[in-house]
Amino acid sequence: DPLEREISAENFNQKIIDNDIKIVAITNHNYFDSNQYDEIVTLAADNYMVWPGIEIDIVDNGSKGHVIVISNPEKVEEFKKVINSITQNINFNTFSMNINELYTHFSQLDVLFAFHYNKKPELDIEIIKSFENMIQDKHRVFYEATNYRKMGILTNKGFKSILGSDVLDWNKYNEF
């Protein structure tokens, strides 16, 4: 990542407090940094909640996109175990899985799934729908929009939507 996307745990903590954010999810790309997560949890204290997560590349049937998997923080050890089992000895820059693998690894965990939608790279809607059809708890599947307007449109069309910050430059975070 470019230097603008990197931030120390201390500076991250201060940005979250200064902006009165009450829940954050730590979702590095194809990687769960357990030490970073633990450090931010310690710094957060009672100021905000920190949820563990990961953003995973999904490649399926010629379509490529991202899904953010966010775990219940009370189940972080179980989440870490699954992440470690699938990311051992991999190249994080080229790692991907398909929808069936996503289901196999994560469906039994207490997690939420937020698929990029109308946001590059974006999985084909039919692949996301096939995942929704596999999973019993459909309330755990969200569509991640790029802005509030698109989030409103998705919500009006019956999609459960979430807006991620996807910070490109921490020096401009307050401009978000």
Side-chain angles (χ1 to χ4, degrees), residues 71-83:
S71 176
N72 177 339
E74 294 175 5
K75 306 285 186 173
V76 67
E77 293 306 319
E78 190 177 339
F79 181 73
K80 284 181 191 180
K81 186 185 289 187
V82 169
I83 296 297

Side-chain angles (χ1 to χ4, degrees), residues 9-83:
E10 293 81 10
N11 288 342
F12 175 86
N13 178 62
Q14 196 58 55
K15 293 266 188 202
I16 300 306
I17 291 170
D18 289 349
N19 287 281
D20 199 31
I21 296 170
K22 298 301 177 191
I23 300 174
V24 298
I26 307 301
T27 58
N28 293 310
H29 200 87
N30 291 331
Y31 178 68
F32 178 69
D33 187 335
S34 183
N35 293 330
Q36 177 190 51
Y37 172 80
D38 293 340
E39 183 177 11
I40 292 171
V41 166
T42 300
L43 290 169
D46 292 329
N47 294 304
Y48 55 94
M49 293 178 64
V50 183
W51 292 34
I54 187 170
E55 183 175 28
I56 300 173
D57 285 341
I58 302 293
V59 177
D60 200 308
N61 203 24
S63 179
K64 179 179 180 175
H66 296 159
V67 61
I68 296 171
V69 181
I70 302 169
S71 176
N72 177 339
E74 294 175 5
K75 306 285 186 173
V76 67
E77 293 306 319
E78 190 177 339
F79 181 73
K80 284 181 191 180
K81 186 185 289 187
V82 169
I83 296 297

